[in-house]
Amino acid sequence: MVFRTSRSFRALVSLTPAVFLAACGSDYPQTTFEPITYFGRLQNSLFSNTFWWTIGILVLVEVLIVFFAYRYRERPGQPKPKQIHGNVKLEFLWTVIPAVIVLFLAIPTIRGIFEMQAPPSEDALVVEVIGHQWWWEFRYPQYGVSTANEVVLPRGREIDFQMYSADVIHSFWIPRLGGKRDVNPQPRPREGEGRRINHLVYTPQEEGYFLGQCAEFCGASHAIMRMAAVVVDPAEFEAWTARMGGTPQPAVPQDTQSVRDTIGASQRPAAAPPAAAVAQATPEPAPGSLEAQGKQLFTSRPCAACHTIKGVTGGVLGPNLTNFGARHYVGAGAKPNTQEWVEAWIRDPQSLKPGALMPGAHRAGGGMGPTNLSDEEVRAIATYLRSLK
Ligand code: CUA
């Protein structure tokens, strides 16, 4: 018995470093420790400042406790030690020292909070972030562009995220960009009442693909409400907005800028982009191809009622699918954007994302009956969608 205990003890001891070393791997796409914005670095520095102060206090207190417990332990036959009551010097000291430490924590923190809440600059790129159960809508009012789940951002330009929700509370969090902010339902504002728009303002300084995640429990598929920031070169960003059929929009007064009257305003069409831009957004499939078949099905079946493809369809209940082929995932991070998974999604979205509002081929969803698409039709639609890039 003793032998077995010591063996499991040895196993435990040898496993402990393994557990700690497991944290030293390199592939953490959602780490907060490698921020690509000043905002993120500032948050990080506040974290490490607090962390190291508290670690210092922890070590000091623990060492003293162990030392005194050992040094002044009870010994047999020892007389009762002298009883002490009150020591002004000591009490003064242990009040002043923590107060000074609190100052070292509080001053940078308060300064950091003000820096992180600074209003956006005049030429910031406004991106409206709208949380839906369970996907993300992104609108670029300055360009008349709308997209879903993957937010494309230019490197080096300040971004003003303006966030609200179409249903319940969500939370917008792309760890490597920094910040995590609640995305609150936005009821039609009453007379004289402020809007419930949350902001995050920061400037991505590195190109790449940065994963994020809804960070507030919002229902059955909260865990499958993912998003990503795609940070690109500024010229590439301009090309992307053009590809998305967008054109720079006339500036609107600051107080109403981009903040729509209601969620329903998404139904209001943006200024019509030039036909050439739309054609670029949505290339016409070759006649007779599987893509052409898919397009024909997409526009004539229930798909069109909920999804927009710029220049093709105009539904607004579901994610905008313009340029869908360029996305990395289907279903807001549910599965990789491969032919197989896109077909699986169209066939039965609820098997991949419980509670999804989209109906499947043989299953009702979101108040709509099954789409009754055959496997061949599903294949054609998936092929068409994946060709949009
Ligand atoms: Cu949206 Cu959790």
Side-chain angles (χ1 to χ4, degrees):
M1 193 63 206
V2 171
F3 173 69
R4 278 174 65 185
T5 310
S6 76
R7 196 164 61 173
S8 42
F9 180 73
R10 274 205 306 268
L12 188 69
V13 168
S14 57
L15 272 178
T16 308
V19 170
F20 281 100
L21 286 173
C24 301
S26 59
D27 192 20
Y28 292 96
Q30 294 192 187
T31 179
T32 54
F33 292 114
E34 290 164 25
I36 59 150
T37 61
Y38 170 71
F39 187 109
R41 285 195 296 277
L42 185 60
Q43 267 185 334
N44 242 0
S45 72
L46 294 178
F47 169 77
S48 41
N49 181 39
T50 308
F51 178 81
W52 288 114
W53 273 109
T54 47
I55 283 291
I57 295 166
L58 176 83
V59 169
L60 181 71
V61 170
E62 292 304 317
V63 165
L64 289 179
I65 286 176
V66 170
F67 172 76
F68 284 112
Y70 180 77
R71 175 77 178 74
Y72 298 105
R73 68 192 183 279
E74 190 178 17
R75 296 176 174 95
Q78 189 186 27
K80 200 174 179 193
K82 193 177 123 198
Q83 300 299 299
I84 299 169
H85 183 79
N87 182 324
V88 175
K89 245 189 240 167
L90 208 57
E91 285 167 23
F92 181 75
L93 214 61
W94 76 45
T95 307
V96 166
I97 293 176
V100 170
I101 294 175
V102 166
L103 279 185
F104 276 104
L105 295 176
I107 291 172
T109 303
I110 292 169
R111 206 167 39 191
I113 288 172
F114 276 97
E115 270 190 83
M116 285 187 265
Q117 298 286 352
S121 61
E122 282 287 302
D123 61 345
L125 172 69
V126 175
V127 178
E128 287 179 51
V129 176
I130 303 149
H132 297 263
Q133 280 171 318
W134 293 277
W135 59 281
W136 297 94
E137 181 180 352
F138 300 106
R139 295 188 203 153
Y140 300 70
Q142 295 147 326
Y143 290 87
V145 163
S146 167
T147 187
N149 301 326
E150 290 185 12
V151 60
V152 177
L153 305 172
R155 170 180 45 77
R157 179 160 169 199
E158 190 172 76
I159 315 292
D160 174 16
F161 285 112
Q162 306 187 348
M163 301 181 279
Y164 53 92
S165 164
D167 36 56
V168 300
I169 303 176
H170 304 274
S171 181
F172 179 81
W173 191 35
I174 302 179
R176 291 200 56 197
L177 269 63
K180 177 192 329 178
R181 203 137 292 171
D182 276 3
V183 177
N184 295 323
Q186 170 73 15
R188 190 186 290 273
R190 295 200 205 99
E191 195 63 35
E193 199 180 72
R195 296 170 191 276
R196 296 180 205 172
I197 305 276
N198 274 348
H199 290 257
L200 263 179
V201 178
Y202 45 56
T203 309
Q205 276 144 352
E206 205 179 287
E207 289 170 30
Y209 186 84
F210 305 101
L211 277 173
Q213 169 72 47
C214 177
E216 174 74 32
F217 181 68
C218 55
S221 284
H222 153 72
I224 321 175
M225 185 170 169
R226 301 166 74 197
M227 84 290 259
V230 186
V231 182
V232 297
D233 179 81
E236 204 182 325
F237 175 75
E238 294 298 326
W240 177 78
T241 57
R243 239 181 3 257
M244 293 298 286
T247 44
Q249 305 282 302
V252 282
Q254 192 66 39
D255 60 332
T256 57
Q257 184 173 17
S258 86
V259 177
R260 302 298 193 235
D261 294 327
T262 60
I263 296 295
S266 57
Q267 327 219 357
R268 188 196 307 152
V278 171
Q280 205 183 3
T282 318
E284 188 59 33
S289 63
L290 195 57
E291 286 87 343
Q293 252 179 62
K295 179 180 177 184
Q296 199 275 326
L297 287 162
F298 189 90
T299 50
S300 59
R301 297 303 185 87
C303 324
C306 296
H307 296 285
T308 290
I309 293 174
K310 195 107 188 182
V312 179
T313 59
V316 293
L317 290 175
N320 188 313
L321 298 176
T322 312
N323 218 22
F324 173 80
R327 291 185 200 155
H328 293 61
Y329 292 94
V330 60
K335 293 292 172 195
N337 182 358
T338 62
Q339 180 71 22
E340 185 196 1
W341 283 120
V342 176
E343 286 180 26
W345 177 269
I346 299 170
R347 217 177 292 120
D348 189 8
Q350 283 149 63
S351 69
L352 303 181
K353 187 180 236 178
L357 292 181
M358 176 170 151
H362 308 293
R363 203 199 298 229
M368 284 163 282
T371 57
N372 292 317
L373 293 166
S374 70
D375 283 358
E376 272 312 292
E377 291 171 325
V378 166
R379 194 160 72 86
I381 294 176
T383 308
Y384 168 59
L385 292 178
R386 284 172 41 74
S387 75
L388 302 175
K389 56 182 164 190

